[in-house]
């Protein structure tokens, strides 16, 4: 308990930076994710995340460098390549978008597994560094990496907030936005690039498989609370930050499940589970559309219908 | 069956052939069920279910303490159906679109599964990584006796699942077709649309669980979606599509396995990669053929209309 | 059997926590062509779905062909709105028509030669025999609508419920559909259709239900389809002169 307090009060400087960077990344992801969800591109981030695995492997091959920045650059390049291929397939053929997304997710991940096995076969090749990307390990992040993530998250958030009006119009009525002369193609492309950036930046802490949760769950939760884009962005950012802080904190201070020898609680899943809990809470008690609220209203309606039809007879 | 094949391809061992046969069974079983997912625009639900079965498997393990297939199959099928149900319920109640609802459901369940696996890690080595990319190479080491022949356990299970799939599909062909095409009309005929949907979800979950042990939960998605989606590009008819998907599924599994053997890398990963290459290649081929046909008819050059 | 093909007794339907149909009491006589007319959101489609048992009733009951829908389902044909259909689905026009026979076939049973011949007949009736092998998305909107009519004909029903059968079709298709509906009524079938084009109600239908969540008026067109009733149904937003010049004065209102 004392440890948790120490962690949450951010007394330890390296913990402070790690926690700050994870939280700021969660905020950026929530902001970008809200727009992606409204633009019905919720799961594009998932394809990017899975495509980043072969990207990391290729960076390892090409650069022979294990610094996080280089590996993430490789992930970003392959993420963009993945989105480009998907867009091209969609444009050229009548193929179904959901099928294309699913195949991209699985196919790029398969390529990543193939490449990582090849790395393993090489002399001196060691997958330990790559395995960390599957499920994330924020708690052990290096301070310099944390600074990098912090800066990236800041830039992304600033971009979203700066172009809030334009993005809002794009999501709501693309044809109208084009009609009044907004560069809709470029805005669409920018949104996808932002998705790729936050996805890649989230890999070290949340991991390939779950990073899309940071893009999807906080906005979905915020949807329950808000009727306008502004409040939705604010609520999503708050829920994202809260999940990141609570999740990272829990995984750091809970006694490790596997005893001293086994690893600790996996950070990524703990963050995602915290976000999921906040989502369920939002779903139940949100004032406009909460499940409990709606059940109460429906109950009232049914009794009023029955009493009125009874009085008619 | 095995011996003549060995003579044809002497560089392969019997184990190689059994592994390949297992991959083909997994690919065909998933591919056939997956056709219906593709047709119903539920490809991503296949992705969601294959992620979400993790807590079902971990839960079955934590409860029974063994790695028996049956409890895991049961647990995973229940969670798989729950995923389908939760996704549609969230879509309706949370007013988020279907993709987002699925994203919320499967990431949450997958995270739960990883945490449960860390709990189980004290007792046995369940590697979450292996869950993701499978261990096709270890298939021949775990065999059962079937009518006097040593058959890999995975192949026996996959064969059984494939048989059930085929029987169900024959029994419900009309119902599947009618509900996928026009659910409102099918319901007016008295077809139980919900029951058909639930049955399909159960089949997807069962296929995923049985296949995932050998090919992993993410790569199983390629097996579910790619054959149907690729076949759909080439034909506008349902029955030819199902046959073509079967052929594509078998070919991908065989080619993927052989290439992986040559490069000494992950077979499951290579099969997924080949699936994607086949899909993108088919898109390119179909577009080129269509453009050639159009230009030879009207004398216009390729891609004369500006790309949107 | 009763003289009414379709009877609503105090029917209310709710979606989520909102009533979309409230206390409708109405009946449709046998062998009539009945239009359901009303503004957007008046619950027209919902009323049809309620008759088919596709949505739960909040209160009241529906009698179809004198009984409950589950007992007479085989004798009821349905043409849903175009949105419910997956146009990219790999089926040919003939296969769509064949789906009309699915309600009569059990598990494992496929449509046989007799069903195929009958499906071809149905396509012939709507003038699409030449297009039997086309994939459904390769047909024009009007042709697609006629394929759905053929599918309904395949059911050899006594009561046909149609959700906007004339939406988005050209004059040619309109004529073809009307001719088929006329033949059906001659044979004693009842047709109930959601209809949007007020200017054509009088010439095409002989019975009308005016709906705006509650029933506004119901009865033979000549007596029921009056400007006062329309004013009430559309809440006075409509300048109507139906009585003065039937057929041309009213322009589309509910779109």
């Amino acid at each position: 308990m004392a440890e948790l307090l120490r962690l949450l009060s951010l007394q330890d400087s390296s913990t402070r930076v790690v926690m700050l960077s994870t939280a700021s990344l969660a905020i950026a992801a929530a902001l970008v994710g809200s727009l992606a969800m409204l633009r019905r591109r919720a799961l594009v981030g998932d394809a990017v995340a899975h495509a980043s695995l072969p990207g990391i492997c290729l960076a390892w091959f090409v650069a022979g460098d294990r610094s996080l920045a280089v590996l993430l650059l490789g992930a970003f390049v392959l993420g963009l390549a993945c989105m480009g291929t998907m867009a091209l397939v969609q444009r050229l053929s009548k193929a179904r978008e959901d099928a294309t997304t699913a195949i991209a997710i699985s196919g790029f991940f398969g390529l990543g597994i193939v490449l990582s096995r090849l790395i393993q076969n090489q002399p001196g090749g060691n997958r330990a560094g790559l395995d960390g990307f599957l499920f994330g390990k924020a708690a052990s992040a290096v301070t310099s990496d944390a600074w990098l993530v912090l800066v990236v998250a800041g830039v992304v958030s600033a971009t979203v907030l700066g172009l809030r009006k334009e993005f809002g119009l794009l999501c709501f009525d693309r044809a109208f936005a084009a009609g009044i002369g907004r560069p809709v193609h470029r805005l669409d492309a920018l949104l996808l690039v932002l998705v790729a950036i936050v996805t890649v930046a989230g890999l070290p802490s949340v991991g390939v498989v779950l990073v899309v949760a940071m893009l999807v769950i906080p906005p979905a939760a915020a949807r329950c609370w808000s009727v306008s884009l502004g409040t939705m962005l604010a609520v999503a950012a708050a829920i994202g930050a809260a999940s990141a802080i609570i999740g990272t904190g829990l995984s750091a201070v809970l006694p490790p499940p596997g005893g001293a020898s086994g690893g600790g609680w996996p950070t990524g899943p703990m963050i995602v589970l915290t976000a999921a809990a906040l989502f369920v809470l939002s779903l139940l008690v949100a004032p406009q559309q909460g499940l409990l609220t709606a059940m109460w209203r429906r109950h009232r309606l049914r009794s009023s219908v029955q009493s009125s039809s009874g009085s008619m007879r | 069956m095995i011996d003549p094949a060995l003579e044809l391809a002497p560089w392969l061992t019997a184990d190689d052939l059994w592994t390949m046969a297992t991959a083909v069974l997994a690919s065909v079983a998933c591919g056939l069920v997956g056709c219906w997912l593709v047709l119903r625009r539920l490809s991503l639900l296949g992705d969601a279910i294959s992620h979400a079965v993790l807590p079902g498997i971990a839960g079955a393990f934590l409860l029974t303490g063994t790695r028996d297939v049956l409890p895991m199959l049961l647990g995973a099928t229940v969670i798989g159906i729950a995923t389908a149900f939760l996704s549609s319920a969230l879509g309706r109640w949370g007013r988020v679109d279907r993709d987002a609802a699925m994203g919320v459901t499967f990431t949450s369940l997958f995270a739960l599964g990883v945490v449960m696996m860390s709990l189980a890690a004290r007792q046995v080595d369940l590697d979450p990584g292996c869950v993701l990319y499978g261990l096709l190479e270890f298939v021949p080491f775990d065999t059962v006796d079937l009518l006097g022949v040593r058959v890999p356990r995975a192949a026996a299970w996959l064969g059984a699942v494939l048989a059930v799939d085929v029987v169900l599909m024959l029994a419900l062909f009309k119902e599947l077709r009618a509900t996928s095409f026009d659910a409102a009309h099918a319901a007016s005929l008295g077809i139980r649309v919900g029951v058909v949907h639930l049955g399909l979800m159960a089949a997807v979950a069962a296929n995923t669980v049985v296949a995932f042990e050998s090919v992993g939960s993410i790569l199983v998605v390629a097996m579910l979606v790619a054959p149907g989606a690729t076949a759909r590009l080439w034909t506008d008819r349902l029955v030819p599509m199902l046959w073509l998907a079967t052929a594509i599924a078998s070919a991908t599994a065989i080619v993927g396995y052989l290439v992986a053997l040559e490069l000494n890398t992950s077979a499951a990963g290579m099969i997924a990669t080949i699936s994607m290459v086949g899909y993108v290649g088919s898109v390119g081929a179909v577009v080129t053929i269509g453009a050639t046909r159009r230009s030879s008819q009207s004398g216009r050059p390729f891609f004369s209309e500006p790309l949107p | 059997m009763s003289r009414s093909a379709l009877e609503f007794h105090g029917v209310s339907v709710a979606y989520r926590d909102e009533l979309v149909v409230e206390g409708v009491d109405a009946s449709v006589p046998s062998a009539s062509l009945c239009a359901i007319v009303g503004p957007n959101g008046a619950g027209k489609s919902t009323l049809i779905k309620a008759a088919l048992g596709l949505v739960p009733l909040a209160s009241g009951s529906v009698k179809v062909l004198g009984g409950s829908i589950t007992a007479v389902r085989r004798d009821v044909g349905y043409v849903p709105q175009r949105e419910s259909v997956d146009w990219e689905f790999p089926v040919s026009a003939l296969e769509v028509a064949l789906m009309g026979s699915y309600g009569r076939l059990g598990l494992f049973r496929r449509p046989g030669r007799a069903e195929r011949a009958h499906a071809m007949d149905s396509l012939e009736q709507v003038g699409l025999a030449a297009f039997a092998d086309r994939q459904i998305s390769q047909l024009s909107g009007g042709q697609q609508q006629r394929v759905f009519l053929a599918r309904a004909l395949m059911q050899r029903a006594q009561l046909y419920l149609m959700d906007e059968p004339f939406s988005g079709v050209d004059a040619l298709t309109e004529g073809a559909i009307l001719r088929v509906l006329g033949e059906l009524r001659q044979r004693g079938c009842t047709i109930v259709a959601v209809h949007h084009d007020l200017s054509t109600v009088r010439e095409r239908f002989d019975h009308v239900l005016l709906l705006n969540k509650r029933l506004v008026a119901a009865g033979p067109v000549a007596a029921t389809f009056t400007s006062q009733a329309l004013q009430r149904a559309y809440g006075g937003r409509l300048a109507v002169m139906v009585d003065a010049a039937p057929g041309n004065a009213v322009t589309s209102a509910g779109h």
Side-chain angles (χ1 to χ4, degrees):
Chain A
M1 196 62 213
E3 202 179 348
L4 181 68
L5 274 178
R6 194 174 66 87
L7 203 83
L8 290 180
S9 59
L10 303 179
Q11 282 165 6
D12 181 3
S13 87
S14 78
T15 321
R16 188 162 43 199
V17 177
V18 170
M19 194 83 107
L20 265 180
S21 81
T22 314
S24 63
L25 180 82
I27 291 173
L31 295 176
V32 174
S34 299
L35 296 175
M37 191 172 95
L38 293 174
R39 187 79 186 84
R40 304 200 170 266
R41 297 271 194 282
L43 291 184
V44 168
D46 204 24
V48 175
H50 286 77
S52 65
L53 191 64
I56 289 167
C57 296
L58 283 177
W60 193 95
F61 271 119
V62 174
D65 183 358
R66 305 269 202 84
S67 80
L68 187 70
V70 171
L71 295 182
L72 290 189
L73 189 66
F76 180 65
V77 170
L78 257 258
L80 286 188
C82 168
M83 286 198 297
T85 315
M86 282 166 62
L88 197 67
V89 164
Q90 242 20 73
R91 237 173 233 194
L92 288 179
S93 76
K94 59 177 183 180
R96 298 201 161 169
E97 195 163 12
D98 60 331
T100 307
T101 312
I103 293 173
I105 288 172
S106 182
F108 275 102
F109 191 78
L111 184 63
I113 298 300
V114 164
L115 291 176
S116 79
R117 197 66 66 85
L118 290 179
I119 289 177
Q120 211 178 7
N121 294 342
Q122 287 207 339
N126 171 7
R127 251 189 35 245
L130 298 177
D131 264 351
F133 284 103
L134 284 182
F135 298 110
K137 42 168 192 176
S140 60
V142 191
T143 319
S144 60
D145 296 341
W147 280 112
L148 178 74
V149 172
L150 193 62
V151 170
V152 168
V155 172
V156 169
S157 304
T159 313
V160 170
L161 294 177
L163 292 171
R164 191 177 57 190
K165 191 162 52 46
E166 281 71 21
F167 277 130
L169 198 56
L170 176 79
C171 298
F172 175 64
D173 188 347
R174 192 173 188 274
F176 177 72
I180 61 167
R182 292 285 182 272
V184 283
H185 288 294
R186 259 177 280 167
L187 281 171
D188 256 338
L190 177 62
L191 182 57
L192 290 180
V193 170
L194 291 177
V195 168
I197 291 175
V198 288
T199 307
V200 169
L203 290 178
S205 52
V206 195
V208 165
V209 191
L210 290 176
V211 68
V212 69
M214 299 312 300
L215 284 161
V216 175
I217 300 182
R223 195 82 192 260
C224 304
W225 295 95
S226 43
V227 284
S228 77
L229 181 64
T231 40
M232 178 170 168
L233 290 176
V235 175
I239 290 176
S243 332
I245 291 169
I246 299 173
T248 316
L250 283 178
S251 81
V253 300
L254 283 181
S261 63
W265 293 91
T267 316
M270 293 308 282
I271 297 178
V272 174
L273 282 182
T274 312
L278 292 175
F279 172 75
V280 171
L281 192 71
S282 309
L283 206 57
L284 288 179
V285 302
Q288 287 296 311
Q289 315 166 354
L291 262 183
L292 297 178
T293 342
M295 265 163 72
W296 164 242
R297 275 207 302 269
R298 224 203 301 194
H299 170 76
R300 263 196 337 210
L301 176 84
R302 189 162 298 154
S303 43
S304 79
V305 167
Q306 257 141 24
S307 66
S308 73
S309 64
S311 64
M312 264 154 50
R313 291 208 178 115
Chain B
M1 182 182 105
I2 289 292
D3 295 338
L6 278 176
E7 277 167 34
L8 266 177
W11 69 92
L12 294 174
T13 64
D15 277 356
D16 287 337
L17 286 174
W18 274 122
T19 314
M20 208 152 78
T22 309
V24 169
L25 284 173
S27 195
V28 170
C30 289
L32 276 177
V33 175
C35 278
W36 296 103
L37 286 181
V38 172
L39 289 173
R40 291 166 166 243
R41 295 171 201 271
L42 292 176
S43 306
L44 288 167
L45 194 56
D47 183 40
I49 288 180
S50 72
H51 282 80
V53 294
L54 191 62
I57 289 162
F61 175 77
L62 282 176
L63 283 178
T64 63
T66 64
R67 293 181 64 168
D68 276 350
V69 177
L70 264 180
M72 291 197 182
L73 187 69
L74 205 67
T77 309
V78 168
I79 297 279
I81 295 171
T83 309
F85 175 77
L86 273 178
S87 303
S88 69
L90 287 190
R92 227 172 312 129
W93 280 109
R95 298 215 178 138
V96 290
D97 67 309
R98 201 166 59 179
D99 285 7
M102 282 189 294
V104 172
T105 314
F106 85 78
T107 51
S108 307
L109 287 173
F110 190 82
L112 187 66
V114 175
V115 168
M116 285 166 80
M117 285 207 150
S118 342
L119 281 176
R122 211 175 335 186
Q123 297 152 43
V124 75
D125 184 32
L126 271 176
D127 179 3
C130 289
V131 172
L132 290 182
Y133 45 79
L135 290 169
L136 194 56
E137 289 77 4
F138 292 132
V139 158
F141 303 136
D142 185 5
T143 57
V144 290
D145 216 21
L146 211 67
L147 303 173
V149 187
R150 298 298 294 171
V151 177
R153 199 171 47 87
W157 270 101
L158 284 163
V161 164
L162 176 59
V164 173
D165 286 345
V166 170
V167 169
L168 276 178
M169 212 173 286
L170 287 175
L172 295 170
F173 189 75
K174 288 193 309 291
E175 285 75 8
L176 279 167
R177 165 139 79 184
T179 53
S180 307
F181 175 62
D182 182 349
H185 180 262
S188 83
L189 292 176
I191 294 175
R192 302 280 195 84
V193 180
V195 175
V196 173
H197 184 72
L198 199 70
L200 183 61
M201 291 307 111
V204 171
N207 271 280
T208 306
V209 180
V210 175
F212 109 98
E213 211 190 0
S214 25
V215 296
S217 68
I218 295 188
L219 306 178
V220 93
V221 180
M223 290 190 164
L224 276 172
V225 178
T230 312
R232 180 68 185 88
L233 294 169
W234 293 101
T235 174
D236 271 342
R237 306 297 294 273
L238 181 57
V239 177
M241 174 181 156
L242 292 170
W243 284 112
L244 192 57
T246 309
I248 291 172
S250 319
T252 333
I254 292 171
V255 173
Y257 183 74
L258 291 178
V259 174
L261 203 63
E262 192 60 34
L263 296 178
N264 185 22
T265 182
S266 156
M270 192 50 95
I271 293 172
T273 311
I274 299 277
S275 302
M276 181 169 68
V277 171
Y279 178 68
V280 176
S282 291
V283 168
V286 168
V287 169
T288 314
I289 292 169
T292 317
R293 205 175 282 162
R294 269 202 306 278
S295 69
S296 67
Q297 274 165 7
S298 61
R300 279 184 296 149
F302 281 13
F303 303 121
S304 61
E305 61 251 275
L307 292 176
Chain C
M1 211 181 103
S2 83
R3 292 286 301 133
S4 297
L6 188 58
E7 293 173 34
F8 298 97
H9 298 290
V11 169
S12 297
V13 183
Y15 280 140
R16 286 178 153 241
D17 45 13
E18 196 184 341
L19 278 179
V20 287
V21 170
E22 270 186 81
V24 169
D25 279 294
S27 67
V28 178
S30 284
S32 66
L33 254 168
C34 173
I36 301 181
V37 177
N40 281 341
K44 305 183 293 289
S45 299
T46 308
L47 195 63
I48 281 197
K49 286 183 186 154
L52 284 160
L54 300 182
V55 291
L57 303 182
S59 69
S61 65
V62 183
K63 255 190 177 177
V64 183
L65 299 171
S68 96
I69 179 67
T70 44
V72 297
R73 205 174 271 293
R74 283 185 179 189
D75 296 318
V76 179
Y78 178 39
V79 179
Q81 255 178 8
R82 295 173 52 88
E83 285 88 76
S84 85
V85 176
D86 177 3
W87 297 107
E88 287 299 314
F89 198 84
V91 283
S92 64
L94 182 69
E95 286 167 333
V96 174
L98 270 175
M99 285 178 190
S101 69
Y102 282 10
R104 293 168 197 269
L105 298 171
L107 287 186
F108 282 104
R109 283 205 44 211
R110 305 275 195 88
R113 193 170 294 170
E115 280 89 3
R116 286 189 168 269
H118 187 200
M120 275 310 285
D121 280 352
S122 305
L123 284 177
E124 184 85 56
Q125 271 189 66
V126 298
L128 285 180
F131 297 90
D133 285 331
R134 289 276 191 93
Q135 202 251 332
I136 189 75
S137 69
Q138 292 165 358
L139 299 174
S140 73
Q143 288 168 334
Q144 288 167 347
Q145 199 63 30
R146 279 188 274 166
V147 173
F148 289 124
L149 189 61
R151 179 176 67 178
L153 291 177
M154 210 29 216
Q155 288 176 252
R156 286 185 225 165
Q158 287 174 33
L159 169 66
Y160 290 91
L161 300 172
M162 305 187 174
D163 209 339
E164 300 191 28
F166 299 104
S167 88
V169 302
D170 56 14
L172 186 75
T173 298
E174 230 173 76
I177 295 178
L178 277 173
R179 190 168 39 72
V180 173
L181 296 189
E183 284 166 16
L184 284 173
R185 190 181 42 168
Q186 297 258 298
R187 277 194 262 146
C189 299
T190 312
I191 294 113
V192 180
V194 171
H195 195 60
H196 254 317
D197 186 0
L198 297 181
S199 64
T200 52
V201 169
R202 276 173 178 274
E203 51 199 88
R204 288 180 190 169
F205 296 92
D206 48 33
H207 204 86
V208 68
L209 297 185
L210 272 167
L211 194 69
N212 191 354
K213 291 194 179 174
R214 297 170 178 279
L215 188 71
V216 175
V221 167
T224 317
F225 198 66
T226 61
S227 54
Q228 289 114 322
L230 277 172
Q231 290 281 9
R232 272 190 289 143
Y234 285 84
R237 277 172 289 144
L238 188 70
V240 253
M241 294 182 291
V242 201
D243 306 314
N248 57 25
V250 180
T251 45
S252 58
H255 288 282

